Amino acid sequence: MHKFIMAALLAAALAAQPALAQTTPANDLDAMRTALRTDKRAYVASNLALTPAQAKKFWPIYDTYQRALDGVARARAVTAESTLNRAGDQPLSNLAAKAFVTQNLVADEAEMKARRKMFNAVMRALPAAKAARYFQLEGKFRAVQAYDIAQAFPLVK
């Protein structure tokens, strides 16, 4: 069952690729959850209303950032899966617990580095208000994902 949970979480994290346009408000977390599974890019586009010139600058930055997030999500999934795949329902050893936390901190740091790089590039590509709006959207996406993972991932013993 734990493998199924992690596979579902990884699939949800990686499913942020194009499919259908979203037209719901950015404060609707259920709509954001759906967008993460179907078409995050269209959801972002509908919430930013970019001009063609802005879009030409923005989307390559967006794509680069999403690839970085995919790499972080894969690293987190590998960490979680290796933690969940221990024999039976045994508690983690101190060494395994420390490795689990360390690997998650490394993923957090990689994500923060990618986020800072993305934001600096978006600030150069878009007006500050649109850049801030995109930064907020990504923050909301992260919050939805973190909540979903927190619900599905049991606390270590």
Side-chain angles (χ1 to χ4, degrees), residues 50-144:
L50 300 172
T51 67
Q54 291 169 342
K56 184 177 181 178
K57 293 176 185 175
F58 173 76
W59 291 115
I61 298 165
Y62 172 89
D63 292 337
T64 299
Y65 181 59
Q66 296 310 306
R67 282 190 299 275
L69 289 181
D70 288 348
V72 170
R74 281 191 296 276
R76 282 192 175 117
V78 166
T79 297
E81 188 172 319
S82 67
T83 301
L84 290 174
N85 282 340
R86 58 192 189 280
D89 199 22
Q90 298 298 313
L92 283 179
S93 69
N94 287 337
L95 184 61
K98 184 176 179 179
F100 173 74
V101 172
T102 300
Q103 290 167 349
N104 276 288
L105 287 173
V106 167
D108 288 347
E109 290 166 355
E111 182 178 350
M112 186 62 206
K113 182 179 177 183
R115 189 176 327 129
R116 188 176 311 279
K117 183 177 178 182
M118 172 274 297
F119 182 69
N120 289 336
V122 170
M123 283 297 291
R124 288 187 301 274
L126 299 179
K130 283 189 181 184
R133 184 173 179 88
Y134 174 62
F135 194 76
Q136 284 181 299
L137 286 170
E138 284 292 344
K140 288 178 182 245
F141 283 126
R142 279 193 329 277
V144 167

Side-chain angles (χ1 to χ4, degrees), residues 1 45 48 116:
M1 171 139 163
L48 290 184
R116 188 176 311 279

Side-chain angles (χ1 to χ4, degrees), residues 2-53:
H2 292 296
K3 280 187 177 185
F4 174 75
I5 291 171
M6 289 316 302
L9 290 173
L10 181 60
L14 296 177
Q17 300 303 318
L20 302 171
Q22 300 291 324
T23 58
T24 53
N27 61 354
D28 183 346
L29 294 184
D30 287 330
M32 295 191 90
R33 183 175 285 110
T34 300
L36 280 168
R37 292 183 185 118
T38 58
D39 194 352
K40 181 180 175 184
R41 186 181 180 116
Y43 187 88
V44 168
S46 71
N47 278 278
L48 290 184
L50 300 172
T51 67

